[in-house]
Amino acid sequence: LGYIFFRGTNAQARNLKLAFKHFNESAYGGSSDGMFNLASMYLTGTAVQESFQKAVLYYTQALDRGHTPAAYSLAVMHLNGIGTVRDCDIAVNLLKKVCERGEWVSSKLVSAYDFGDKNPNKAALMFLKLAEAGHEVSQMNVAHLFDSGQPNLFSPDEGGEPAKADDYFWEEDSRSYGRNIAQRFYELSAEQGSASSELRLGDYAYYGWGRSAGFTPQEGTSDGPIVDQGEDWADFPLPSIYTSDKVLLTPQNVDYEAALARYRKTADMTVTGEWMQSFVARASFNLGFMHQFGIGIPQDLNLARQHFFRCREVDPSGLHAPVTLALTLLACHLRYLRLPTPDEFKERFFADLRSHILLLHLAGLLILVLLQCYLSRRRQAGATGPGRPATLPMPSSTLREVEAPVAATATSTSNELRRRTGEGVVLDLD
């Protein structure tokens, strides 16, 4: 409706105010096209007061929803400093996004996604071509494929030689050598601001999954700085980077400081879309965990609680059960740390007068219980003493013999009573 009123038709005259109204309603309804059209009207001052700031705002919101023309318009505004501070880096990044959404890139992405799990080698190869061209999404995807160990493009063929150069070191495990490639593309993707790649690099540093590349040292070489002591340069060996072309990949050690830096960088990112919420929330959770137990950083429970709450705020629609459990354990941890040590507890307990009164009461109760047990035993022993004959239980056969005469006597007595009552004799039952 807004477009019809904006352009006008044979049946409907052009009405810019109604067009602005419908574009505004569409933008508040979440339509990226409505946001783009509304921003264009603010930019040109059509049917509304000109406002470059509002134009940048609505262009940015449209871009967050994947609107490519909005990215180009924002790039031009940042390039010329219209409605915002001139920033060529932002302009270049936005123009790069526009280029990456072209037909050539989109068609290859669709083909790579179609292969997916059916043929991971072909999917990885197509992602590799786009990743080497600088496509951030492809860099992240190819890193994920090699990280999971699905493709075997660089793995040894069955019964054949490894598909690698002799100068490189590769481990036999498929996921281990896949992580060598994955780490490189995670780093390339993280340089372009990918939250998921930055988070994954933090995991690499935390668990020691990363790889470090270096040159193989040879005899007569040195990796330290060259110091001029007035002697001939031939007396000082050159670093291995100048004397060796052998590249050695070695496993990295666990680096909590690097992991903390990666997690902190991810947690500090501005959430520009729903897809980023889970990654920023996970980074905040990991920071809270490391601060709670003092992993790679001094223990700070209050800061850990802030990170846990930040995790819940960033992703309100995510799973909150782990965060709730972590906060519960953190509260228990705080209570445990506030408990006094055994020596302090003994000192405080015996220094308090109330503890002495409590001990006296407990001792008195214990004495009364023991006295009651002693007297009850004496009473039972006196009931079965030598002055009283003990009552022995009768055998079951004797009981049956006694029961029979008693039953016969009771029957004859009741018959006699009935007979006398029939003769008119009054019985005084009292």
Side-chain angles (χ1 to χ4, degrees):
L1 286 174
Y3 186 78
I4 291 174
F5 283 115
F6 183 81
R7 301 294 297 182
T9 61
N10 296 330
Q12 177 64 48
R14 188 180 184 188
N15 192 331
L16 296 179
K17 291 185 178 180
L18 286 177
F20 176 81
K21 175 184 176 183
H22 288 293
F23 286 152
N24 192 26
E25 293 177 355
S26 177
Y28 277 95
S31 173
S32 59
D33 291 331
M35 296 174 184
F36 176 79
N37 294 331
L38 187 63
S40 300
M41 296 188 75
Y42 276 115
L43 179 63
T44 58
T46 305
V48 70
Q49 185 178 358
E50 189 180 72
S51 177
F52 294 148
Q53 289 76 16
K54 290 185 178 180
V56 171
L57 174 63
Y58 285 109
Y59 277 141
T60 304
Q61 292 183 1
L63 175 61
D64 293 340
R65 289 162 176 78
H67 202 277
T68 304
Y72 180 77
S73 300
L74 270 178
V76 174
M77 295 182 73
H78 280 285
L79 185 62
N80 296 281
I82 301 174
T84 182
V85 180
R86 185 178 181 182
D87 194 329
C88 294
D89 293 334
I90 296 178
V92 170
N93 291 330
L94 291 173
L95 291 175
K96 180 177 177 292
K97 288 184 178 181
V98 176
C99 295
E100 290 176 350
R101 294 175 183 178
E103 183 178 357
W104 180 80
V105 177
S106 301
S107 60
K108 290 188 176 297
L109 278 178
V110 171
S111 300
Y113 286 131
D114 289 339
F115 286 117
D117 298 334
K118 300 178 182 178
N119 197 334
N121 287 331
K122 289 186 177 180
L125 182 60
M126 301 189 75
F127 281 133
L128 272 172
K129 293 179 179 180
L130 295 173
E132 293 294 346
H135 191 250
E136 187 271 323
V137 176
S138 298
Q139 291 171 353
M140 183 178 60
N141 289 336
V142 73
H144 174 71
L145 285 175
F146 281 103
D147 191 8
S148 60
Q150 296 181 17
N152 55 359
L153 292 176
F154 303 100
S155 64
D157 297 332
E158 295 182 0
E161 295 296 330
K164 61 181 179 61
D166 295 336
D167 296 340
Y168 292 88
F169 169 78
W170 298 84
E171 294 185 0
E172 296 180 358
D173 184 36
S174 61
R175 192 164 183 181
S176 296
Y177 70 73
R179 282 175 175 163
N180 298 328
I181 306 171
Q183 183 183 7
R184 174 177 180 268
F185 287 103
Y186 276 137
E187 291 173 352
L188 293 175
S189 177
E191 289 178 359
Q192 300 191 49
S194 174
S196 60
S197 298
E198 196 74 45
L199 177 65
R200 192 60 177 166
L201 286 174
D203 295 338
Y204 269 56
Y206 186 88
Y207 294 104
W209 292 340
R211 295 292 184 270
S212 60
F215 292 94
T216 305
Q218 296 181 355
E219 295 182 0
T221 61
S222 175
D223 291 332
I226 300 176
V227 181
D228 186 6
Q229 297 180 355
E231 299 179 3
D232 190 7
W233 284 103
D235 297 335
F236 297 95
L238 294 174
S240 59
I241 188 174
Y242 299 108
T243 60
S244 175
D245 58 352
K246 300 284 187 179
V247 178
L248 181 65
L249 295 177
T250 57
Q252 289 183 353
N253 297 325
V254 174
D255 192 348
Y256 293 128
E257 293 182 359
L260 192 68
R262 296 284 186 180
Y263 290 147
R264 185 178 287 114
K265 185 177 180 180
T266 308
D268 292 340
M269 288 184 178
T270 303
V271 179
T272 59
E274 295 182 0
W275 65 273
M276 288 186 61
Q277 292 179 350
S278 60
F279 301 114
V280 177
R282 284 177 54 190
S284 300
F285 184 88
N286 293 342
L287 283 175
F289 181 83
M290 296 182 73
H291 280 91
Q292 179 179 356
F293 296 99
I295 302 175
I297 195 173
Q299 189 180 47
D300 191 340
L301 299 184
N302 293 325
L303 191 57
R305 181 168 52 187
Q306 293 179 10
H307 284 296
F308 286 140
F309 280 118
R310 164 75 174 166
C311 175
R312 183 180 292 177
E313 293 174 359
V314 170
D315 191 11
S317 61
L319 294 175
H320 291 168
V323 182
T324 304
L325 180 61
L327 288 173
T328 304
L329 294 177
L330 180 62
C332 297
H333 195 178
L334 283 170
R335 291 298 183 92
Y336 174 76
L337 293 179
R338 290 174 182 174
L339 292 176
T341 61
D343 296 336
E344 293 178 354
F345 179 78
K346 292 179 182 178
E347 183 179 357
R348 294 180 183 179
F349 182 79
F350 290 108
D352 194 351
L353 181 61
R354 292 172 296 180
S355 61
H356 296 278
I357 297 175
L358 178 62
L359 290 176
L360 291 176
H361 280 80
L362 292 176
L365 289 175
L366 181 61
I367 293 173
L368 291 176
V369 170
L370 293 177
L371 183 61
Q372 183 180 5
C373 294
Y374 175 75
L375 293 176
S376 62
R377 290 181 180 179
R378 288 289 303 271
R379 192 180 299 110
Q380 292 178 0
T384 58
R388 294 177 179 233
T391 304
L392 298 177
M394 297 179 63
S396 58
S397 58
T398 307
L399 288 175
R400 285 193 295 269
E401 293 176 359
V402 173
E403 287 175 358
V406 171
T409 305
T411 305
S412 61
T413 305
S414 61
N415 293 335
E416 182 67 21
L417 288 174
R418 285 195 296 270
R419 184 178 62 79
R420 291 183 180 184
T421 304
E423 295 175 358
V425 179
V426 179
L427 298 177
D428 189 1
L429 298 178
D430 295 335

